[in-house]
Every structure is written in structure tokens, then in C-alpha cells.
Amino acid sequence: MNNSPIMAEKSVKAGEIIARMDRLPIWSLSYIFIGILGMGFLFTFFDIFDINVSFIQTSLTIFHVSSPSSPEIGVLLGPAVLLNLVGYIVGSLLLSPLSDRIGRRNMLMITMAITGLGSLYNALVNDYSNFLLARTITGIGVGADLAVVNTYIGEVAPLNGRAKYTSFVFLFSTLGAGLGLWLGLLLTTPPAPFPLGLPFALGGSGFLAVNGWRVMYGIGALLALIGLLLRFNLPESPRWLISRGRIADAEAVVKQMEERASRKLRSLPPLPAVIPPYVVERLSYLDSLKAVILDRRYARRLAVLIPMWFFGYMTVYVLAAGLTTILASLGYPPPEAGIIASFGDIGFILCAVTIMLVGDKMERSRWTAISVLFTIVGGVVIALAKTNLPLSFLGSSILFYGFNLWVPVSYAWSAESFPTRARATGFALTDGLGHIGGGVGTVVVASFVASLVSSGVTTGLAIEVFLLIASFQIISTVIAVSLGHKTANKRLDEISP
């Protein structure tokens, strides 16, 4: 009885702090913090893509494969990609929800340490079993990190810019992907005239001829170390602090945000209505699961977002991990196919820039429809290009633009669809279980595509191949557009109390 007035006063105070935060119309932390989070994403996607080119040299040097064109390399690559993806799912589902219990900042440092150790382990292995184990460990860190970063960004970004700043961090991932692809060409392949390779590649002789792939993973470990050290400077999410009853700590962070915003604006907007927040002093993993599974509102959102990600990732992973193989099966020489796929990073970068500029102008679900249209157009352009390299480069850029455009928006959508007390858990369930679709796509769809082209390739068949791959993204889009809930430009505590 005596404590109830005190608790009521704390609840009002907490609601006022969140209202003060919600009125800030601009990014009100240091932009350095975006760079700090971005460095983590840069490493994450560097690690995802660095195996794409470097694995051939790895196979030749420590797996004793006899030739760069040996089909055995594809056999060895499959488990490496699959176990990295299994690690991703495990990390997302088991590790990232811990940030709902121990805090976003603490978990961000743990996940970056795991990914860095996995990459360092990769650089030092000397046999296939240890290589697979290293890829699995790295995947665990990557899966957890991606969920927590998107959760953190969603909680500190202004309500009219959650997609924008999620995409700002995503921009670093596109740079990491490009770095992984092009460094792989530079450090692990012999020089060759463009477009069969890079004339200035360094992987043909000397130390790099057998150790370029180790240097790649060593660079990844160094990037992770830099990211880890920088993350010590991150403030904790005020929303998470309030959800755990740490009112004074949350107010200190929000006060700094207000001071920074005041220096950029003539005056701060008036306070919106105070929404009493949900505060829980103790939160177990099971409590977080119950919060998003047993509540009908969040269970319905899971029922939409999980299949959206599942089918969307089927298209994403077939193209991200297998475009070079698909192009080779359609008649392109393998080195040329790799160069064409690498040019797709241009579209990857442009999709991040697009969402940064206009991502919050429309509801999240509409971006899935725009995205799939570009995926279809890009695939058809490549199919029609045949031996026209400039047209192939254009098609690859459009294709990458299309199958990635919906991703940063949907990251923001997933994070804002669940309450602060279980936001990382909700994101982990949607993204983690959705990645099962990525595994299915990589293994099943890629094999089916190979069987389609086994009897000969025509332009019509090439178009059918790309339409088949895009069909799963079409299913994802239909789910999002027809069943998706609205969240753009709304307060988090209105969307997900």
C-alpha cells in the first residue's frame, strides 16, 4: 500500500522521459554512434561475403582439391554455407534475446567478440572440420549481432526516421559485402584480364598464393576488434533502461539527447501525451518468449513477419550466395560470372541510399512490392543480356537493388513490431526462423535451378529461372501487403505497448 504512490510516481516519470525522447524529430545521439554500429555491420557482411571468392583458394591449399574448376569445391562449400547459416539461426534465437535481460549495449559487445573470435579461428584452421566449426561460431555471433543492432537502432532513432537510420547502418553492410567480394578477388585469385579477373590481383604468387584466404579472415578479425573497442562508447538504450526500472540512468541519456537536439534546432517540439511504460525488474528468457507468443497482438505479427522473411530469404540467399553459380549454369564463364555478381554491389549500395532518403515516406509493406518488381526486371535483363557484358552488369545491379531493397525497411518493421521488454526476442524469432527459408532456398532451389538448365540453355529458359527465383519473394510480398500492420511514423509505445 505504502509503495503504490511511489510506484505510480515512477511510472509517470518514466512516461515523461519516453515522451521527451519521442518529441525529438532528429537523430539526437552522436553520429559517431551510427559509425560504431556500422563498423559492426561492415564486419558482419564482410564475413558473409568473404567466403564467396576466397573459398576456391582455401579448398586448393588445405582441402587438397586438385583444380579450381573441380566440382568438389561446390560439394565442400555447401556445408560451410549451411553451418554458418545454422549458427546464424542459433545465435539469433538463443543469444540475441538475452539483450532483453542484460541490455542492448552489453549484448552488442558480446556478439562482436564472438564473431571476431570465429573469424580469427577461421584464419588459423588447417582442416575442413575446424573450418566448418569456425564458420558455425562466426554465424552464431553474426545472427545475434544483427538482431541486437536493429533493436538498438529502432529504440533510439526518431519516430519519423527508424527506417532511415536502420538503412544508414545497413549502408555499412553493403560496403562490407563489397569489401569481401573485391578483396577476395584481389588477395586470392591470380591476375587475369578483365572481365575474367583483375589484372592487378595478388593471389597468383608468393605468400598470398596460398595464404590470401587467411589474410581475408584475419582482416575480418581485425575489423571485429575495432568494432568491439568502439562499442564500449555506446550509451544504453533509454527505453530498455526504463523497462528495467532504471529511471535515473535513462533520464541522463535522454537529457544528453535533448541537449544535442537543442543545439541543432531553435526549440524542441512540445511533449506528446505521456504513455505509462511497462516496467519489469526481472525478466527471464521464458518471460520474453511469453510476451510475444502468448499476447494475441504480437502472435499475429509473428504469423505475418516469419513467413514474410522465410519466403523473402529464399530469394535473397539463392541470389546472394549462388548468383555466380546460376550465371555459370546459364553459360557464362565462371570468372566472368563472378565479376558480374560483384557489380551487383552497386545496386546493394543504392538500395540503402534509397531507404535512407525516402524509406519512412510509405508504410513498410509497400516497399516489399516495389522491391520484387526490381528483382524481376533485373533477372530478365540478365537473361536477355547473353554475352552483352555492360547489359549484364546493369542487370546485376538492378537485381541486387531489388532483392535487397525491402530488407532494411523490414528490419525496422520487425524491431518496432514488438514491445521493449521483448523487442530483441521478437526480432530474433522473425529473422531467425525466417533464415530457415534462406537455408531451404540455398539447398533446394539452387539444385532445382541446376536441373532446369541441365538439358540446355535458351533465353526463354533463363527468364524462367529468374522468375522462379523471384516467385518466393512474390509470395513474401503478398503476405506483407495483404496482412501486414501499419507502423511508420508512429510512437513505439503506441505500436507495441
Side-chain angles (χ1 to χ4, degrees):
M1 294 280 298
N2 293 333
N3 288 335
S4 58
I6 297 175
M7 293 300 295
E9 183 179 347
K10 281 187 174 182
S11 179
V12 171
K13 180 68 173 176
E16 289 177 350
I17 293 171
I18 290 177
R20 286 162 56 188
M21 189 175 175
D22 283 344
R23 71 173 169 172
L24 302 177
I26 60 173
W27 179 265
S28 302
L29 293 171
S30 171
Y31 274 93
I32 293 173
F33 294 147
I34 293 180
I36 290 172
L37 293 168
M39 274 298 298
F41 253 39
L42 188 149
F43 162 73
T44 294
F45 279 76
F46 175 87
D47 178 80
I48 291 172
F49 280 83
D50 65 1
I51 194 174
N52 218 314
V53 178
S54 67
F55 191 73
I56 292 176
Q57 191 189 73
T58 309
S59 299
L60 294 173
T61 54
I62 65 169
F63 305 151
H64 310 297
V65 175
S66 58
S67 167
S69 59
S70 171
E72 188 180 354
I73 293 178
V75 174
L76 293 169
L77 179 61
V81 173
L82 182 60
L83 286 176
N84 182 254
L85 193 57
V86 168
Y88 183 110
I89 296 168
V90 170
S92 180
L93 294 178
L94 296 185
L95 283 187
S96 55
L98 291 178
S99 75
D100 287 329
R101 183 175 182 180
I102 68 174
R104 316 306 190 207
R105 176 181 175 274
N106 290 338
M107 200 64 211
L108 282 169
M109 290 188 288
I110 292 171
T111 56
M112 189 50 52
I114 293 172
T115 51
L117 289 172
S119 194
L120 181 61
Y121 185 9
N122 250 136
L124 300 175
V125 300
N126 285 305
D127 59 64
Y128 189 58
S129 297
N130 279 292
F131 186 89
L132 293 180
L133 180 58
R135 296 306 299 160
T136 305
I137 292 171
T138 310
I140 290 171
V142 165
D145 193 74
L146 189 143
V148 183
V149 167
N150 283 294
T151 297
Y152 182 91
I153 286 288
E155 290 182 348
V156 299
L159 64 88
N160 61 345
R162 287 190 294 265
K164 174 182 178 179
Y165 290 103
T166 298
S167 194
F168 204 153
V169 174
F170 186 76
L171 178 62
F172 283 83
S173 71
T174 70
L175 300 177
L179 189 65
L181 288 168
W182 290 99
L183 267 183
L185 289 169
L186 177 67
L187 299 179
T188 70
T189 66
F194 185 84
L196 298 179
L198 297 179
F200 48 85
L202 304 174
S205 61
F207 176 81
L208 293 176
V210 292
N211 292 296
W213 67 275
R214 294 188 189 275
V215 174
M216 291 284 293
Y217 291 110
I219 291 172
L222 178 61
L223 290 173
L225 176 61
I226 294 171
L228 173 61
L229 295 176
L230 290 173
R231 285 183 177 186
F232 278 94
N233 296 308
L234 286 173
E236 183 53 88
S237 161
R239 296 181 191 276
W240 180 83
L241 290 169
I242 286 173
S243 75
R244 305 311 301 275
R246 295 169 58 179
I247 310 300
D249 292 336
E251 185 171 25
V253 178
V254 172
K255 184 178 180 181
Q256 292 176 0
M257 295 174 70
E258 289 174 323
E259 291 172 352
R260 181 171 290 274
S262 296
R263 291 196 293 268
K264 298 178 181 179
L265 305 170
R266 291 184 178 180
S267 61
L268 297 180
L271 284 177
V274 172
I275 302 175
Y278 192 104
V279 178
V280 55
E281 294 184 0
R282 295 182 180 179
L283 187 73
S284 68
Y285 182 84
L286 187 58
D287 291 331
S288 297
L289 284 176
K290 288 179 178 177
V292 296
I293 293 176
L294 299 184
D295 186 304
R296 289 184 180 180
R297 167 175 22 205
Y298 303 126
R300 283 196 297 267
R301 293 176 183 179
L302 284 174
V304 174
L305 294 172
I306 290 174
M308 179 197 75
W309 281 112
F310 182 93
F311 288 106
Y313 273 147
M314 286 183 74
T315 296
V316 167
Y317 272 86
V318 168
L319 293 173
L323 181 58
T324 300
T325 303
I326 291 168
L327 292 175
S329 69
L330 293 175
Y332 287 91
E336 190 175 293
I339 293 290
I340 292 170
S342 296
F343 267 84
D345 196 52
I346 296 172
F348 202 2
I349 293 170
L350 288 176
C351 83
V353 174
T354 299
I355 302 305
M356 285 170 57
L357 294 175
V358 294
D360 290 289
K361 302 296 184 182
M362 294 190 299
E363 278 299 333
R364 312 313 189 198
S365 61
R366 294 183 183 179
W367 285 106
T368 63
I370 296 171
S371 179
V372 75
L373 289 176
F374 279 98
T375 301
I376 293 170
V377 170
V380 171
V381 170
I382 293 177
L384 294 174
K386 296 183 180 179
T387 58
N388 187 328
L389 275 179
L391 194 58
S392 297
F393 294 155
L394 175 63
S396 180
S397 296
I398 295 172
L399 185 67
F400 268 73
Y401 183 83
F403 76 79
N404 284 294
L405 184 64
W406 68 286
V407 174
V409 176
S410 297
Y411 281 162
W413 195 16
S414 293
E416 61 200 7
S417 295
F418 302 100
T420 300
R421 62 189 179 278
R423 182 162 288 120
T425 300
F427 188 101
L429 287 171
T430 59
D431 187 66
L433 294 177
H435 265 81
I436 296 174
V440 171
T442 302
V443 176
V444 177
V445 179
S447 298
F448 187 61
V449 168
S451 67
L452 278 179
V453 301
S454 61
S455 59
V457 179
T458 64
T459 300
L461 182 59
I463 292 175
E464 289 179 16
V465 166
F466 282 106
L467 290 178
L468 170 66
I469 295 170
S471 66
F472 303 102
Q473 192 180 352
I474 293 172
I475 296 172
S476 172
T477 296
V478 170
I479 292 170
V481 172
S482 62
L483 301 174
H485 49 287
K486 296 180 178 181
T487 60
N489 302 307
K490 293 183 179 181
R491 298 175 66 185
L492 282 181
D493 291 282
E494 289 177 339
I495 303 167
S496 305

